[in-house]
Amino acid sequence: MKSDFSIILSIIALIGVISVWLLWLCDSIELSVIGLDTFIGVIVALLALIFTVTIGYQIINTIEFRREIMDLKTRQHIIETNYNNYIKLAQNLQSGICASNAQFQYEKGNYFEAFVSYNTALFFAIEADQPNQSNFINQLRLITVNISSPITNFDKGSQELILYTKKIKATTSYRNCLGSEYDKVMNDFWSKISQMGYKKPTDSL
């Protein structure tokens, strides 16, 4: 709309200029007939007209600019809402993948690996605001009872465990409801690991 209005305004101005020059060249206006006051009045009227058109054009631009801003804000809100939904969906999916891997490792008798995967699944479940998050802690408690030597890939698994333990302890769910229960499970786990001759890595990840 703005581009069409600019074109129309330019065409009108061009026609006006061409007409004035044609009249001037063809001597159809005798300067002797036009007084100074009349000439100044015409110029002022033309300036007033141009000023009015310009102001109107700026008002139209302002209205359209505000409309575009509102449209952008609406689109931004939609994008942010969908983005949050996508993030929740991805976190739910990641939690499910980790839980499935934990179950697979558990059935194979790899209880340490199952514990690590269930701990990671708990973090993503918390991030996705899943209900019944304490069920993951119950699974961790059951797995702890079954852990036995030897443990394969202890270094890699323990590093992942330390990393996601720190992340879990930084969540609101841990602070509000899971803290004491989760800490007890982790203390029991590392106590059993220590009894089996494995050393807990430092928490400096």
Side-chain angles (χ1 to χ4, degrees):
M1 179 179 177
K2 289 190 291 186
S3 59
D4 294 339
F5 187 79
S6 299
I7 293 172
I8 294 172
L9 189 61
S10 301
I11 292 173
I12 293 173
L14 182 61
I15 292 173
V17 171
I18 293 174
S19 300
V20 170
W21 277 103
L22 287 175
L23 291 173
W24 184 281
L25 292 174
C26 294
D27 291 331
S28 52
I29 298 178
E30 296 184 8
L31 294 178
S32 59
V33 177
I34 301 175
L36 181 61
D37 294 339
T38 304
F39 181 76
I40 293 175
V42 171
I43 295 300
V44 171
L46 288 175
L47 290 175
L49 178 62
I50 293 172
F51 180 78
T52 302
V53 172
T54 303
I55 293 299
Y57 179 66
Q58 292 300 324
I59 292 174
I60 292 174
N61 283 342
T62 302
I63 293 173
E64 291 190 355
F65 181 71
R66 289 180 178 176
R67 185 182 297 114
E68 289 176 358
I69 290 178
M70 293 301 297
D71 290 342
L72 288 174
K73 287 183 177 180
T74 302
R75 292 178 184 178
Q76 181 181 2
H77 177 71
I78 293 173
I79 291 172
E80 289 176 352
T81 301
N82 290 334
Y83 175 78
N84 292 332
N85 291 336
Y86 292 145
I87 292 296
K88 296 290 184 185
L89 181 62
Q91 290 165 340
N92 271 308
L93 181 60
Q94 188 63 41
S95 178
I97 292 173
C98 292
S100 297
N101 182 61
Q103 186 63 33
F104 175 74
Q105 296 293 344
Y106 184 86
E107 292 173 356
K108 289 177 58 178
N110 299 328
Y111 301 114
F112 174 79
E113 290 80 0
F115 188 95
V116 173
S117 292
Y118 261 119
N119 188 69
T120 305
L122 171 60
F123 168 73
F124 286 108
I126 292 173
E127 291 295 292
D129 293 329
Q130 289 185 11
N132 303 321
Q133 296 170 10
S134 59
N135 290 342
F136 288 90
I137 297 180
N138 293 333
Q139 290 293 333
L140 294 173
R141 185 181 294 108
L142 292 174
I143 294 172
T144 302
V145 175
N146 294 310
I147 293 177
S148 60
S149 294
I151 297 175
T152 58
N153 297 322
F154 175 77
D155 291 338
K156 180 180 179 181
S158 59
Q159 293 293 333
E160 178 181 341
L161 192 58
I162 293 295
L163 174 63
Y164 281 97
T165 297
K166 290 179 67 174
K167 289 184 177 183
I168 289 171
K169 289 185 176 182
T171 63
T172 303
S173 291
Y174 172 84
R175 292 192 298 268
N176 291 344
C177 56
L178 299 179
S180 58
E181 191 177 3
Y182 180 77
D183 287 343
K184 185 177 186 311
V185 169
M186 297 306 297
N187 288 335
D188 292 342
F189 169 80
W190 286 115
S191 177
K192 187 167 186 178
I193 291 297
S194 178
Q195 293 172 7
M196 292 165 54
Y198 295 94
K199 184 179 180 181
K200 177 183 178 182
T202 60
D203 297 345
S204 59
L205 289 178

